[in-house]
Amino acid sequence: DLPLAVGLSATIDARLSRLGPTQRRAVELVALGQPLQADHLRRATVDHGIVEALRHAGLVTHGSDGVTLSHPLQTERILAQLPAARRRRHLGRLLAAIDADPRHDRIQRVQFAVWQAELGGPVDDDARVHAARTALTLDQPETASMLIEPSRTLEAELVRAELDAVGNRPAAALERLHRLQPRSMADRARIALVESQVRLLSLGEVDAASRALEAVSGDALPTATNDELTAARALLLLLAGRPGDSAHLGAGVDPAASPRNAVEVWVSSSIAEMLAGDLVTAARQARDGLAALTQLTDPGVLPFAEVQLGCTLVYADLYAGRINAAVRRCRTYQSDHLRSGGAVAGLWSSMRGTAELLAGNLTTARDVASDAVAVTRARDPLGHGGLTLADNALASAMLGERGAARQLLAELEHRPDAATPRVAVNLARVRAWVAALEEDIPTAVDHALSGSREAAAAGYHSWAMLAAHDAVRFGAAEAALPLLEMSARGLRDARFLELLLDHARASVEDDRAGLEQVADDLLAVGARLHAAEVLRQATALSVQLGDSRHATALARRIAALGTGGAWTLRDMPSSEPLTRREYQVAEQAARGRSNRAIAASLGVSHRTVENHLTSVYGKLGITGRDGLTRQLIDATSTDT
């Protein structure tokens, strides 16, 4: 939020004072209703050329979402100056203009109900609940709460329970649900659906969520309600580590007969296919779900479907090797939602952290994931907080930030959903990286392999490969290779994941050329840190083979990748080679000789030796003599 400075206020006022009555009214209407469809603005002002005139004056922009003022501070100033009576007249004009158009999108439906409520017009309970639930899917809980405030119907109470859950008050949500008195089996089903959602996403209670649904008999229920129960059960099966059963169950929902429930099934099935490694099917189902979602008038009991389908597309891009595209998509989505804030903005910050992590942008990954953690601590309607914590912890560990990684690990271990498969796999990865950071490599490898086995047993083969590859990064390629090969069997369009397997095979065979090829391929898909780590292995092999010139060339490549902040690369040499004199000084220092002894042997002053060593430490990326090794020195020497 920015303060509206006096000078800027005066500038906006002067600009508005030059407008004629129709243009001034139009600007005020846009401030109230943006984004406002151009036809609605023309109808409310009775001026067919009004949009073009305002665009020419630089006052509005006209995009795919509609007409908006060109700067948010203009909105603030205009609304602050708008008298209450004039505001009510404008709302009446907007209502009339929008009501004349049968094609209302979700945002317009919420606006319509809010304006009707503000004007004291008749808004029936069904319309209030419908608009409130739509506001929930748009991540507008305050608007949803205001809309249902006068209503005491069962559906209104269900929305209030959802609002409790969205506000991280699951106990209050469950208490509210248990007080309800259902009059029919359909009412019981509606209550069970919301209870299942609260237990699953807010408390991580997969079994309790399943029991809530199992208590509802489907024999006497309408087909649409049965399909809604099926969609909810499909999501539960997915998160319980049974993606195959989830996809099979969801296949029974007919998209033509139950389009809303089909979207919910596509959410589950697209995530299931992504975790199984079939990125072709995952992306197709996510796109189908997004296309169907735009045609729906009722979002149903599962909010944020659009966001979840978008997340599936990001994961598909990442694992298919379109990492830079995934990063750009996340940055765009995050930017689009920053103004509104809330859970959706936090979720896209979390997804961006995931993408930046795979891209090797560790500092950015840590920062945006940290922001996401702060948001999900306050509001976590999708139960994404565990994954967000894990990404933050991984980025911190890879940066060598031991204290931050330990603290995040402790918080992750105490989450109520820590034992659920999707969190447990990521928890194992965090434990592995924290152990590695503490130089307990055997324990790190055990955690990584355990996480991989757990993920594979749940059908999460994409995550199984990430966990197994952590063991490869810790030097246990031979133990990880069978797990990688097993999980790779069902991959489709999963280039990045396939490269993790290629890396393990080249590591087992000490294949320097193979490692360099894998590094090149990883760079091609956008995985810079992975590529740098593979080049590090090739550098070590070159040193072992006595090929110091090639080792120096590889070290220069690593430095050029810009991943020097990674803890896994901190003892790598820089791209700048040691001079002959620096090499002589460093070589003797590595053998334990004192500065005075080195100076005497080389016929130089004590101060010159100190200066040479300072330059060596900077080039090698170390802080003192303790970091000097013959292997490190040889890898960055030069014959000149």
Side-chain angles (χ1 to χ4, degrees), residues 1 39 202 219 235 310 329 444 462 497 512 530 629:
D1 293 335
D39 287 344
S202 297
D219 295 340
L235 178 61
R329 186 194 296 268
S462 294
L497 298 178
R512 185 176 68 172
H530 287 78
T629 64

Side-chain angles (χ1 to χ4, degrees), residues 82-144:
L82 197 60
R86 188 174 177 87
R87 176 189 177 95
R88 291 175 65 84
R89 287 197 299 273
H90 283 342
L91 291 181
R93 292 186 179 100
L94 288 171
L95 283 171
I98 294 175
D99 200 27
D101 187 346
R103 301 165 301 167
H104 298 164
D105 65 20
R106 292 182 300 163
I107 295 176
Q108 290 168 352
R109 284 195 296 274
V110 174
Q111 285 179 329
F112 198 93
V114 170
W115 294 337
Q116 282 183 311
E118 183 175 340
L119 292 175
V123 185
D124 62 45
D125 284 333
D126 288 344
R128 284 185 181 276
V129 168
H130 184 271
R133 184 159 281 128
T134 303
L136 262 179
T137 70
L138 296 171
D139 196 23
Q140 298 175 9
E142 294 81 7
T143 299

Side-chain angles (χ1 to χ4, degrees), residues 16 23 62 95 116 146 153 232 266 270 354 358 378 400 436 445 454 558 575 592 602 611 628 630 634:
L16 294 175
Q23 289 187 337
H62 186 192
L95 283 171
Q116 282 183 311
M146 183 272 291
T153 65
W266 274 320
S270 65
T354 301
L358 282 189
V445 170
E454 187 169 357
I558 295 170
S575 61
L602 297 177
N611 290 338
L628 281 175
R630 181 60 181 267
D634 286 345

Side-chain angles (χ1 to χ4, degrees), residues 109-110 112-114 116 122-135 144 147-160 187 190 260 297-300:
R109 284 195 296 274
V110 174
F112 198 93
V114 170
Q116 282 183 311
V123 185
D124 62 45
D125 284 333
D126 288 344
R128 284 185 181 276
V129 168
H130 184 271
R133 184 159 281 128
T134 303
L147 284 169
I148 62 165
E149 197 282 327
S151 180
R152 292 295 178 267
T153 65
L154 173 68
E155 287 297 327
E157 289 301 310
L158 293 178
V159 172
R160 290 189 179 92
D187 286 351
R190 298 292 298 155
R260 182 190 67 195
T297 58
D298 183 357

Side-chain angles (χ1 to χ4, degrees), residues 579-591 593-613 616 625:
T579 65
R580 182 169 181 170
R581 181 63 81 185
E582 287 170 345
Y583 175 82
Q584 291 171 336
V585 171
E587 189 273 335
Q588 291 194 46
R591 288 193 279 116
R593 302 197 70 188
S594 68
N595 288 1
R596 293 192 182 280
I598 296 172
S601 70
L602 297 177
V604 297
S605 69
H606 177 267
R607 179 61 60 85
T608 298
V609 171
E610 289 180 345
N611 290 338
H612 281 314
L613 282 176
V616 168
R625 281 175 176 262

